[in-house]
Amino acid sequence: MKKNNTIKEMYQEERPYEKCERFGAENLTDAELLAVILRTGTRGENSLDLARCLLHPDFGNPGIHNIHQWTFERLINIRGIGRVKAVQILCLSELSKRMAREAAVEGLDFSSPSTIARYYMEDMRHRNREVLKLLLLNTRSRLIGEMNISVGTVDMALVSPRELFVEAVRKDASSIILLHNHPSGDPAPSREDVRITRRVCEAGQLIGIELLDHIIIGNNCFISLKEKGFFQQCGS
């Protein structure tokens, strides 16, 4: 990879700032956009070189879509990335997730698995560990609370129907939705996912708080266990 000592030594039409002004941000590459955020490079490596390095396969997570997997500790160990640049990159990541979530909230309908999945997609699909969320709804199917029930592998040792419904009763919820991610990117339910769903569904019928769905988030895809018919054996 050919490197330029400074941005000033590049042809004007190749400089990220000037290119953005002349042609618009939409015409910048991923590396150029990141270079604008980084602003400066390090000795012998300008900001564009540094951005390309961060997006290179040798870094371990090639592509701008994996920016959400970068951690502060990992970033500050990269030559040219200090504390300030690491914070800037992490804030960029968080801002992009919030923008995606805000765009999805307008059409959010808790009776529609697709709108629920779209709303939580950017927050959930980049996580490298499974997170199980409990969504609490009132009689009008409006969200009145959400919480993380477990972090790590979702199994019966970590997930108790009793704990779920204690929270639901405390918040005076009329129904609940379970939501968790698969870090592999494949939302296909495991046997344990199905077993947990049926146990929670059955428990909810006994106490009068309905489990509306269990949605599994993959990489830009999802599965609704309700739509797939996994609730049939508990009478839903």
Side-chain angles (χ1 to χ4, degrees), residues 30-50:
D30 291 345
E32 289 170 337
L33 289 169
L34 186 54
V36 171
I37 301 299
L38 295 174
R39 296 183 61 191
T40 60
T42 186
R43 185 184 295 272
E45 190 174 57
N46 62 41
S47 59
L48 186 55
D49 294 328
L50 183 56

Side-chain angles (χ1 to χ4, degrees), residues 83-234:
R83 300 176 68 87
V84 172
K85 283 187 172 61
V87 168
Q88 289 172 330
I89 292 171
L90 292 177
C91 288
L92 172 65
S93 170
E94 181 60 28
L95 182 62
S96 69
K97 288 191 290 186
R98 294 188 188 188
M99 290 172 66
R101 188 164 175 169
E102 188 67 23
V105 72
E106 185 174 341
L108 184 59
D109 176 4
F110 283 96
S111 66
S112 168
S114 62
T115 64
I116 298 170
R118 186 166 63 249
Y119 181 69
Y120 288 98
M121 183 65 69
E122 287 306 304
D123 179 45
M124 300 287 286
R125 74 185 182 101
H126 300 288
R127 295 176 182 258
N128 54 19
R129 300 180 68 189
E130 287 191 13
V131 176
L132 177 66
K133 283 184 175 292
L134 173 65
L135 311 183
L136 305 170
L137 309 178
N138 63 15
T139 54
R140 298 182 179 180
S141 294
R142 292 180 179 174
L143 186 68
I144 57 175
E146 67 174 69
M147 61 197 68
N148 293 342
I149 296 300
S150 69
V151 178
T153 302
V154 176
D155 58 31
M156 292 309 299
L158 297 174
V159 181
S160 164
R162 180 180 179 278
E163 294 176 10
L164 298 179
F165 288 108
V166 164
E167 294 296 337
V169 171
R170 184 177 297 160
K171 293 285 188 179
D172 198 25
S174 296
S175 56
I176 62 173
I177 294 174
L178 294 179
L179 180 83
H180 85 274
N181 63 307
H182 280 179
S184 67
D186 180 2
S190 66
R191 290 182 181 178
E192 197 65 22
D193 293 336
V194 174
R195 188 153 64 113
I196 291 170
T197 301
R198 287 175 177 163
R199 281 196 60 185
V200 173
C201 182
E202 291 167 356
Q205 289 178 340
L206 290 175
I207 65 175
I209 299 178
E210 183 182 3
L211 174 65
L212 297 180
D213 207 341
H214 185 174
I215 298 170
I216 304 175
I217 301 290
N219 187 18
N220 273 331
C221 53
F222 75 95
I223 280 180
S224 159
L225 271 67
K226 179 87 169 190
E227 290 183 339
K228 293 296 183 181
F230 288 105
F231 282 31
Q232 293 177 358
Q233 292 187 14
C234 69

